Amino acid sequence: MTLFEKIIQRHIPADIVFEDDQVLAFKDINPAAPTHVLVIPKRPISRIDAANAEDQSLIGHLMLKAAEIARELKLENGFRLVINNGPDGGESVPHLHCHILGGRALQWPPG
Ligand code: 5GP
């Protein structure tokens, strides 16, 4: 079981900001910006590269919820959604997650 499945099942605690039947959103334990929330599907998909056509509506739902959560977190000045994939992408937990980053001006390109 991945770390994020343990958070979904409440085996380890997290600061949850949103939940419905398909996704869970919680604060990142090591925030990279003043607001840093992770949105994950409850169905375990290891990474975006492992998603398939059956996951289309779930991933669409996840992205729309990420934008809705960003609005609720008052990131009206802008925010960034990030999905890291694989070693070069910086993925460290093999359960698909979308980072919501905001609360400061973010640099581009990323490091
Ligand atoms: P990745 O590097 O895979 O894109 O993102 C994984 C994220 O999960 C990192 O930003 C990391 O800080 C966060 N993270 C790792 N372990 C925990 C944890 O136990 N709780 C929470 N809330 N976030 C975690």
Side-chain angles (χ1 to χ4, degrees), residues 10-86:
R10 309 301 202 267
H11 291 167
I12 61 171
D15 194 342
I16 292 169
V17 300
F18 177 81
E19 179 172 27
D20 67 12
D21 58 326
Q22 297 181 72
V23 302
L24 183 72
F26 51 93
K27 292 184 182 173
D28 197 292
I29 205 167
N30 184 24
T35 298
H36 189 172
V37 167
L38 303 172
V39 191
I40 69 173
K42 289 189 170 175
R43 181 175 349 139
I45 301 168
S46 52
R47 61 193 53 80
I48 193 66
D49 193 36
N52 59 45
E54 285 176 12
D55 303 314
Q56 184 167 322
S57 70
L58 172 57
I59 290 169
H61 179 76
L62 187 149
M63 296 297 282
L64 289 172
K65 279 296 166 195
E68 192 178 309
I69 292 163
R71 278 195 295 278
E72 283 170 8
L73 293 172
K74 312 283 183 219
L75 299 177
E76 57 272 327
N77 210 40
F79 59 89
R80 188 172 295 166
L81 302 182
V82 174
I83 295 176
N84 295 325
N85 190 101

